[in-house]
Amino acid sequence: MTTRDTEMTTWLRGLPKAELHLHIEGTLEPELMFALAERNGVTLPYDSVAAVRAAYDFDDLPSFLDLYYQGMGVLHTREDFFDLAMAYFARAQEDGVAHVELSFDPQAHLVRGVPLEVPFEGLLAACREAESRYDISSALIMSFLRDRDPAEALEVFEQAAPWHASIDAVGLDSAERDHPPGRFAEVFERARALGIPGVAHAGEEGPAAYIREAWEALEVCRIDHGVRCLEDPELVARLRDARVPLTVCPLSNVKLKVTPTLTEHPLPALREAGLNVTLNSDDPAYFGGGMLDNHVACHEAFGWTRDDFIAMTHNAVQAAFMDEGRREALLERLRGVASDV
Ligand code: ADE
Ligand code: ZN
């Protein structure tokens, strides 16, 4: 999608947004994929950027994940991860994003022979650079692959001890169907014991029961997606009362056929139910747009006003992993935007 330059688009660009659900490997644009393939001597199964983009037609989450894991095969060095993240930060800055929480999948790199220090050091260097170059604050989420052995997740988490102080949260992602979150209770408990909170994908393709399980067994403080909670009214009431943030990704849900069209997306129903909704882009290179595109699409589909977007940005800033000084500064910027409405 290309964002049209309307008055609302300009205003949405100026809104200091916080992106809480972003897979950094899912920001790999085909142009950079080709450049990194050449740099690392990797042969891609496509002969052009257009051919890569044409392949981005997904039936569901697993059909996307096949291409996502294949695409990240071009990432080999710290510099590759640095370049990937800096390319994303440059686009985020153009979109008016003020804070980003980058999730990454260390196991998907380890299985390709890329050691932990490569993504950790490359991404952390990019986060520092984004802070000084763009005034974008960030957090790092180390995610585990739920379709692999939970014992492996625990082992990788222990191996990551040199970077534990740099991890803001642990996460859980990859193929959801038939992969209930409760199996990962031990690694989430271990992280919590070290003061590292947890988040988990749940209720994207999987049932509402997985949201309940992620919340209860993993004690996560946020749910990634969570859109299927509406199938369980009792769960909705509990999530609402506890103000559990849901990091919803509208364009992703359309691309992966979680919802047939954006107008049929459950976002308005989630908000009407009083849930703590935030807007995010998930894997922007694959799903047709970043934070600004997601916001503009929601404005067009649901007729949401400036106040609606201010409210969801407020939710995101409150739910973010950031120091209190930064949170107060962003809340102050939001109050400034709100007073102009
Ligand atoms: N990994 C990257 N994007 C994902 C998504 N939308 N759901 C689950 N795992 C993912
Ligand atoms: Zn995701």
Side-chain angles (χ1 to χ4, degrees):
M1 175 195 287
T2 353
T3 300
R4 275 174 290 140
D5 233 345
T6 62
E7 200 185 317
M8 187 62 173
T9 304
T10 306
W11 183 86
L12 285 168
R13 186 178 285 116
L15 184 67
K17 297 170 287 300
E19 162 117 284
L20 306 185
H21 182 163
L22 175 89
H23 303 266
I24 196 64
E25 297 93 339
T27 70
L28 178 61
E29 293 289 346
E31 290 80 1
L32 184 59
M33 192 188 288
F34 270 89
L36 296 181
E38 197 177 336
R39 183 152 100 188
N40 294 319
V42 174
T43 308
L44 291 172
Y46 307 97
D47 57 14
S48 67
V49 162
V52 180
R53 285 223 162 80
Y56 293 174
D57 183 18
F58 310 114
D59 296 324
D60 52 17
L61 175 58
S63 66
F64 152 68
L65 289 170
D66 286 347
L67 285 197
Y68 168 81
Y69 292 124
Q70 181 189 82
M72 67 175 79
V74 302
L75 299 165
H76 282 269
T77 65
R78 291 174 193 205
E79 191 190 8
D80 297 339
F81 282 89
F82 179 84
D83 291 349
L84 172 71
M86 287 316 295
Y88 165 74
F89 279 124
R91 289 190 294 273
Q93 197 252 352
E94 281 170 21
D95 274 6
V97 175
H99 176 83
V100 182
E101 313 216 325
L102 294 84
S103 150
F104 74 114
D105 292 321
Q107 288 159 284
H109 307 304
L110 281 170
V111 295
R112 303 184 291 111
V114 177
L116 280 182
E117 62 262 28
V118 167
F120 267 113
E121 297 301 326
L123 295 177
L124 288 168
C127 290
R128 287 189 294 270
E129 180 65 21
E131 179 106 50
S132 60
R133 200 187 292 184
Y134 300 127
D135 189 28
I136 296 180
S137 52
S138 54
L140 196 62
I141 302 178
M142 176 183 186
S143 284
F144 304 116
L145 303 181
R146 69 196 309 151
D147 47 357
R148 294 182 68 86
D149 187 351
E152 180 186 275
L154 187 58
E155 198 182 307
V156 172
F157 180 70
E158 298 302 353
Q159 272 174 33
W163 300 280
H164 280 173
S166 307
I167 299 171
D168 295 281
V170 290
L172 188 69
D173 61 7
S174 203
E176 187 180 9
R177 275 201 190 116
D178 302 322
H179 297 291
R183 298 163 64 237
F184 291 83
E186 194 178 348
V187 66
F188 276 70
E189 188 183 345
R190 171 80 180 122
R192 223 169 27 256
L194 296 174
I196 303 173
V199 300
H201 284 56
E204 178 187 17
E205 272 196 355
Y210 285 10
I211 301 174
R212 191 185 285 272
E213 192 175 311
W215 192 24
E216 289 174 355
L218 306 187
E219 298 187 34
V220 295
C221 61
R222 300 194 313 228
I223 298 288
D224 290 319
H225 295 292
V227 292
R228 288 190 57 188
C229 70
L230 291 172
E231 293 164 21
D232 180 345
E234 199 256 344
L235 176 64
V236 168
R238 289 186 53 209
L239 292 169
R240 180 199 59 217
D241 292 348
R243 298 275 310 141
V244 175
L246 305 182
T247 64
V248 181
C249 307
L251 291 180
S252 161
N253 293 156
V254 175
K255 269 284 188 183
L256 300 189
K257 302 194 167 50
V258 168
T259 175
T261 63
L262 191 55
T263 24
E264 291 161 88
H265 195 285
L267 259 166
L270 293 166
R271 295 191 67 226
E272 274 152 34
L275 290 160
N276 187 356
V277 168
T278 69
L279 291 183
N280 306 273
S281 73
D282 207 8
D283 299 282
Y286 291 88
F287 299 151
M291 276 294 265
L292 185 57
D293 287 315
N294 272 276
H295 281 66
V296 171
C298 286
H299 167 65
E300 289 174 351
F302 311 128
W304 285 346
T305 63
R306 296 178 182 196
D307 284 340
D308 291 315
F309 290 105
I310 289 170
M312 282 177 284
T313 305
H314 193 270
N315 292 345
V317 172
Q318 292 287 17
F321 302 119
M322 59 173 63
D323 66 54
E324 294 312 312
R326 177 65 173 168
R327 196 184 323 278
E328 192 39 52
L330 290 184
L331 290 174
E332 185 56 36
R333 278 175 67 186
L334 266 183
R335 282 191 285 270
V337 170
S339 68
D340 291 340
V341 168

PDB file of all heavy atoms in Angstrom, residues 317-335:
ATOM      1  N   VAL A 317       2.078   3.649  24.504  1.00  0.00           N
ATOM      2  CA  VAL A 317       3.152   4.267  25.302  1.00  0.00           C
ATOM      3  C   VAL A 317       3.084   3.726  26.740  1.00  0.00           C
ATOM      4  O   VAL A 317       4.102   3.406  27.349  1.00  0.00           O
ATOM      5  CB  VAL A 317       3.060   5.807  25.255  1.00  0.00           C
ATOM      6  CG1 VAL A 317       4.045   6.454  26.219  1.00  0.00           C
ATOM      7  CG2 VAL A 317       3.325   6.305  23.829  1.00  0.00           C
ATOM      8  N   GLN A 318       1.868   3.576  27.250  1.00  0.00           N
ATOM      9  CA  GLN A 318       1.733   3.051  28.622  1.00  0.00           C
ATOM     10  C   GLN A 318       2.204   1.608  28.719  1.00  0.00           C
ATOM     11  O   GLN A 318       2.713   1.187  29.762  1.00  0.00           O
ATOM     12  CB  GLN A 318       0.263   3.127  29.084  1.00  0.00           C
ATOM     13  CG  GLN A 318      -0.267   4.541  29.284  1.00  0.00           C
ATOM     14  CD  GLN A 318       0.298   5.217  30.538  1.00  0.00           C
ATOM     15  OE1 GLN A 318       1.291   4.790  31.103  1.00  0.00           O
ATOM     16  NE2 GLN A 318      -0.318   6.311  30.958  1.00  0.00           N
ATOM     17  N   ALA A 319       2.035   0.848  27.623  1.00  0.00           N
ATOM     18  CA  ALA A 319       2.367  -0.594  27.662  1.00  0.00           C
ATOM     19  C   ALA A 319       3.814  -0.870  27.272  1.00  0.00           C
ATOM     20  O   ALA A 319       4.262  -2.008  27.336  1.00  0.00           O
ATOM     21  CB  ALA A 319       1.432  -1.349  26.709  1.00  0.00           C
ATOM     22  N   ALA A 320       4.547   0.171  26.860  1.00  0.00           N
ATOM     23  CA  ALA A 320       5.886  -0.046  26.293  1.00  0.00           C
ATOM     24  C   ALA A 320       6.927  -0.349  27.365  1.00  0.00           C
ATOM     25  O   ALA A 320       6.789   0.053  28.517  1.00  0.00           O
ATOM     26  CB  ALA A 320       6.299   1.199  25.509  1.00  0.00           C
ATOM     27  N   PHE A 321       7.977  -1.058  26.933  1.00  0.00           N
ATOM     28  CA  PHE A 321       9.135  -1.277  27.796  1.00  0.00           C
ATOM     29  C   PHE A 321      10.070  -0.083  27.587  1.00  0.00           C
ATOM     30  O   PHE A 321      10.849  -0.050  26.633  1.00  0.00           O
ATOM     31  CB  PHE A 321       9.843  -2.583  27.434  1.00  0.00           C
ATOM     32  CG  PHE A 321       8.949  -3.799  27.531  1.00  0.00           C
ATOM     33  CD1 PHE A 321       8.684  -4.582  26.410  1.00  0.00           C
ATOM     34  CD2 PHE A 321       8.370  -4.159  28.741  1.00  0.00           C
ATOM     35  CE1 PHE A 321       7.864  -5.692  26.497  1.00  0.00           C
ATOM     36  CE2 PHE A 321       7.534  -5.268  28.836  1.00  0.00           C
ATOM     37  CZ  PHE A 321       7.280  -6.042  27.709  1.00  0.00           C
ATOM     38  N   MET A 322       9.924   0.907  28.435  1.00  0.00           N
ATOM     39  CA  MET A 322      10.781   2.103  28.317  1.00  0.00           C
ATOM     40  C   MET A 322      10.950   2.686  29.712  1.00  0.00           C
ATOM     41  O   MET A 322      10.151   2.420  30.605  1.00  0.00           O
ATOM     42  CB  MET A 322      10.171   3.140  27.357  1.00  0.00           C
ATOM     43  CG  MET A 322       8.805   3.634  27.736  1.00  0.00           C
ATOM     44  SD  MET A 322       8.182   5.001  26.717  1.00  0.00           S
ATOM     45  CE  MET A 322       8.051   4.326  25.083  1.00  0.00           C
ATOM     46  N   ASP A 323      12.009   3.488  29.881  1.00  0.00           N
ATOM     47  CA  ASP A 323      12.186   4.062  31.215  1.00  0.00           C
ATOM     48  C   ASP A 323      11.145   5.156  31.428  1.00  0.00           C
ATOM     49  O   ASP A 323      10.568   5.692  30.472  1.00  0.00           O
ATOM     50  CB  ASP A 323      13.633   4.508  31.455  1.00  0.00           C
ATOM     51  CG  ASP A 323      14.041   5.657  30.558  1.00  0.00           C
ATOM     52  OD1 ASP A 323      13.335   6.676  30.552  1.00  0.00           O
ATOM     53  OD2 ASP A 323      15.060   5.528  29.855  1.00  0.00           O
ATOM     54  N   GLU A 324      10.905   5.456  32.699  1.00  0.00           N
ATOM     55  CA  GLU A 324       9.782   6.344  33.022  1.00  0.00           C
ATOM     56  C   GLU A 324      10.004   7.765  32.491  1.00  0.00           C
ATOM     57  O   GLU A 324       9.047   8.463  32.164  1.00  0.00           O
ATOM     58  CB  GLU A 324       9.496   6.334  34.528  1.00  0.00           C
ATOM     59  CG  GLU A 324       8.986   4.978  35.042  1.00  0.00           C
ATOM     60  CD  GLU A 324       7.867   4.382  34.189  1.00  0.00           C
ATOM     61  OE1 GLU A 324       6.908   5.101  33.854  1.00  0.00           O
ATOM     62  OE2 GLU A 324       7.964   3.186  33.850  1.00  0.00           O
ATOM     63  N   GLY A 325      11.270   8.171  32.374  1.00  0.00           N
ATOM     64  CA  GLY A 325      11.563   9.503  31.830  1.00  0.00           C
ATOM     65  C   GLY A 325      11.110   9.595  30.377  1.00  0.00           C
ATOM     66  O   GLY A 325      10.474  10.571  29.955  1.00  0.00           O
ATOM     67  N   ARG A 326      11.431   8.568  29.605  1.00  0.00           N
ATOM     68  CA  ARG A 326      11.036   8.538  28.197  1.00  0.00           C
ATOM     69  C   ARG A 326       9.506   8.458  28.079  1.00  0.00           C
ATOM     70  O   ARG A 326       8.907   9.134  27.248  1.00  0.00           O
ATOM     71  CB  ARG A 326      11.693   7.319  27.510  1.00  0.00           C
ATOM     72  CG  ARG A 326      11.309   7.117  26.059  1.00  0.00           C
ATOM     73  CD  ARG A 326      11.806   8.252  25.171  1.00  0.00           C
ATOM     74  NE  ARG A 326      11.592   7.985  23.757  1.00  0.00           N
ATOM     75  CZ  ARG A 326      11.715   8.901  22.813  1.00  0.00           C
ATOM     76  NH1 ARG A 326      12.079  10.129  23.108  1.00  0.00           N
ATOM     77  NH2 ARG A 326      11.508   8.591  21.555  1.00  0.00           N
ATOM     78  N   ARG A 327       8.899   7.618  28.946  1.00  0.00           N
ATOM     79  CA  ARG A 327       7.430   7.492  28.887  1.00  0.00           C
ATOM     80  C   ARG A 327       6.792   8.861  29.144  1.00  0.00           C
ATOM     81  O   ARG A 327       5.893   9.285  28.419  1.00  0.00           O
ATOM     82  CB  ARG A 327       6.950   6.462  29.919  1.00  0.00           C
ATOM     83  CG  ARG A 327       5.508   6.003  29.652  1.00  0.00           C
ATOM     84  CD  ARG A 327       4.941   5.056  30.704  1.00  0.00           C
ATOM     85  NE  ARG A 327       5.851   4.108  31.243  1.00  0.00           N
ATOM     86  CZ  ARG A 327       6.188   2.942  30.688  1.00  0.00           C
ATOM     87  NH1 ARG A 327       5.669   2.594  29.538  1.00  0.00           N
ATOM     88  NH2 ARG A 327       7.051   2.134  31.286  1.00  0.00           N
ATOM     89  N   GLU A 328       7.259   9.551  30.153  1.00  0.00           N
ATOM     90  CA  GLU A 328       6.666  10.848  30.489  1.00  0.00           C
ATOM     91  C   GLU A 328       6.872  11.830  29.324  1.00  0.00           C
ATOM     92  O   GLU A 328       5.961  12.593  28.975  1.00  0.00           O
ATOM     93  CB  GLU A 328       7.269  11.374  31.802  1.00  0.00           C
ATOM     94  CG  GLU A 328       6.541  12.556  32.404  1.00  0.00           C
ATOM     95  CD  GLU A 328       5.002  12.517  32.296  1.00  0.00           C
ATOM     96  OE1 GLU A 328       4.363  11.510  32.685  1.00  0.00           O
ATOM     97  OE2 GLU A 328       4.441  13.514  31.790  1.00  0.00           O
ATOM     98  N   ALA A 329       8.050  11.772  28.680  1.00  0.00           N
ATOM     99  CA  ALA A 329       8.316  12.682  27.555  1.00  0.00           C
ATOM    100  C   ALA A 329       7.354  12.387  26.393  1.00  0.00           C
ATOM    101  O   ALA A 329       6.814  13.319  25.765  1.00  0.00           O
ATOM    102  CB  ALA A 329       9.770  12.532  27.098  1.00  0.00           C
ATOM    103  N   LEU A 330       7.117  11.111  26.122  1.00  0.00           N
ATOM    104  CA  LEU A 330       6.197  10.779  25.021  1.00  0.00           C
ATOM    105  C   LEU A 330       4.752  11.115  25.387  1.00  0.00           C
ATOM    106  O   LEU A 330       3.979  11.581  24.536  1.00  0.00           O
ATOM    107  CB  LEU A 330       6.343   9.306  24.628  1.00  0.00           C
ATOM    108  CG  LEU A 330       7.664   8.948  23.930  1.00  0.00           C
ATOM    109  CD1 LEU A 330       7.677   7.487  23.487  1.00  0.00           C
ATOM    110  CD2 LEU A 330       7.924   9.837  22.725  1.00  0.00           C
ATOM    111  N   LEU A 331       4.387  10.894  26.649  1.00  0.00           N
ATOM    112  CA  LEU A 331       3.019  11.247  27.073  1.00  0.00           C
ATOM    113  C   LEU A 331       2.823  12.767  26.960  1.00  0.00           C
ATOM    114  O   LEU A 331       1.749  13.230  26.562  1.00  0.00           O
ATOM    115  CB  LEU A 331       2.751  10.757  28.506  1.00  0.00           C
ATOM    116  CG  LEU A 331       2.636   9.227  28.648  1.00  0.00           C
ATOM    117  CD1 LEU A 331       2.521   8.821  30.120  1.00  0.00           C
ATOM    118  CD2 LEU A 331       1.443   8.670  27.852  1.00  0.00           C
ATOM    119  N   GLU A 332       3.867  13.502  27.274  1.00  0.00           N
ATOM    120  CA  GLU A 332       3.800  14.968  27.156  1.00  0.00           C
ATOM    121  C   GLU A 332       3.612  15.375  25.684  1.00  0.00           C
ATOM    122  O   GLU A 332       2.806  16.248  25.364  1.00  0.00           O
ATOM    123  CB  GLU A 332       5.098  15.567  27.741  1.00  0.00           C
ATOM    124  CG  GLU A 332       5.154  17.079  27.811  1.00  0.00           C
ATOM    125  CD  GLU A 332       4.000  17.698  28.597  1.00  0.00           C
ATOM    126  OE1 GLU A 332       3.571  17.092  29.606  1.00  0.00           O
ATOM    127  OE2 GLU A 332       3.516  18.777  28.180  1.00  0.00           O
ATOM    128  N   ARG A 333       4.354  14.703  24.791  1.00  0.00           N
ATOM    129  CA  ARG A 333       4.172  14.996  23.359  1.00  0.00           C
ATOM    130  C   ARG A 333       2.752  14.672  22.916  1.00  0.00           C
ATOM    131  O   ARG A 333       2.138  15.407  22.128  1.00  0.00           O
ATOM    132  CB  ARG A 333       5.188  14.181  22.521  1.00  0.00           C
ATOM    133  CG  ARG A 333       6.560  14.850  22.459  1.00  0.00           C
ATOM    134  CD  ARG A 333       7.573  13.994  21.734  1.00  0.00           C
ATOM    135  NE  ARG A 333       7.293  13.825  20.319  1.00  0.00           N
ATOM    136  CZ  ARG A 333       8.001  13.017  19.516  1.00  0.00           C
ATOM    137  NH1 ARG A 333       9.048  12.357  20.001  1.00  0.00           N
ATOM    138  NH2 ARG A 333       7.700  12.894  18.243  1.00  0.00           N
ATOM    139  N   LEU A 334       2.219  13.566  23.455  1.00  0.00           N
ATOM    140  CA  LEU A 334       0.831  13.186  23.097  1.00  0.00           C
ATOM    141  C   LEU A 334      -0.168  14.217  23.623  1.00  0.00           C
ATOM    142  O   LEU A 334      -1.143  14.543  22.931  1.00  0.00           O
ATOM    143  CB  LEU A 334       0.497  11.833  23.718  1.00  0.00           C
ATOM    144  CG  LEU A 334       0.717  10.600  22.861  1.00  0.00           C
ATOM    145  CD1 LEU A 334       0.256   9.359  23.611  1.00  0.00           C
ATOM    146  CD2 LEU A 334      -0.044  10.712  21.536  1.00  0.00           C
ATOM    147  N   ARG A 335       0.072  14.694  24.823  1.00  0.00           N
ATOM    148  CA  ARG A 335      -0.835  15.727  25.370  1.00  0.00           C
ATOM    149  C   ARG A 335      -0.806  16.965  24.477  1.00  0.00           C
ATOM    150  O   ARG A 335      -1.832  17.590  24.230  1.00  0.00           O
ATOM    151  CB  ARG A 335      -0.442  16.091  26.817  1.00  0.00           C
ATOM    152  CG  ARG A 335      -0.891  15.057  27.857  1.00  0.00           C
ATOM    153  CD  ARG A 335      -0.735  15.574  29.284  1.00  0.00           C
ATOM    154  NE  ARG A 335       0.650  15.590  29.729  1.00  0.00           N
ATOM    155  CZ  ARG A 335       1.261  14.567  30.346  1.00  0.00           C
ATOM    156  NH1 ARG A 335       0.594  13.441  30.591  1.00  0.00           N
ATOM    157  NH2 ARG A 335       2.528  14.645  30.695  1.00  0.00           N
TER     158      ARG A 335
END
